[in-house]
Amino acid sequence: MPIAAAPHRQGIALAAASRKDRPQQMPASHHFAQRVYDIVAQIPRGRVTTYGHIARSLGDVRGARMVGWALMQVDDDERDLPCHRVVNRVGLLSGGWHFGHPDVMRGLLLAENVPFRDDYQVDLDRCLWDPASEEPEP
DNA sequence: ATTCTGACCTATC
DNA sequence: TGATAGGCCAGAA
């Protein structure tokens, strides 16, 4: 998968161009979302990562919000993605309601022996997985 | 066109 | 230290 130096800007430009050429295809953020999925798919069982870490590993430090947005599309897009392994900066299950109820997400994590610090907060110190450390750069 | 909101984060007070 | 303000970009109203 070819990932270039300035992924964010380039993604925007590329999406804008392709939208002009092919208005019906490929929503603007498709690339961004796709790359988010690629990373989420690599989160090991029993570990979690955060929106911010994913954004940073994509080269866009401020894109955390868009990561959340991308995951929101997952329900309709790629269903097999372990998106329950993505939590917010302090380990809270901020996306829990998108599973129907936070308990569903919690159950999935507990089933993988993810350590919890509180009912709806994982212990990041013990299970954080940093995408940047696992993804070798070209 | 404009405004508001959001599975967020960092910087600043 | 805890709180707020600002930034990000896509969609909905």
Side-chain angles (χ1 to χ4, degrees), chain A residues 20 32 41 45 49 57 65 69 83 85 92 128 136:
Chain A
K20 205 174 193 177
F32 185 87
R45 183 183 165 81
T49 194
S57 90
R65 217 163 183 170
W69 172 84
C83 38
R85 296 180 189 146
L92 286 167
L128 175 65

Side-chain angles (χ1 to χ4, degrees), chain A residues 32 36 50-52 54-55 58 63-72 86:
Chain A
F32 185 87
V36 169
T50 75
Y51 304 94
I54 294 176
L58 289 179
R65 217 163 183 170
M66 301 319 295
V67 174
W69 172 84
L71 262 60
M72 209 170 62
V86 183

Side-chain angles (χ1 to χ4, degrees), chain A residues 22-98:
Chain A
R22 296 173 277 175
Q24 289 182 327
Q25 298 201 5
M26 192 166 289
S29 49
H30 181 80
H31 279 321
F32 185 87
Q34 187 56 58
R35 287 163 56 212
V36 169
Y37 302 157
D38 286 344
I39 291 186
V40 172
Q42 293 175 25
I43 306 175
R45 183 183 165 81
R47 311 285 300 280
V48 301
T49 194
T50 75
Y51 304 94
H53 277 89
I54 294 176
R56 200 172 11 245
S57 90
L58 289 179
D60 185 357
V61 184
R62 310 179 185 109
R65 217 163 183 170
M66 301 319 295
V67 174
W69 172 84
L71 262 60
M72 209 170 62
Q73 311 288 315
V74 167
D75 292 323
D76 303 327
D77 266 0
E78 313 228 354
R79 243 154 243 178
D80 306 325
L81 227 53
C83 38
H84 59 278
R85 296 180 189 146
V86 183
V87 299
N88 81 355
R89 180 180 56 108
V90 293
L92 286 167
L93 313 188
S94 42
W97 287 104
H98 289 263

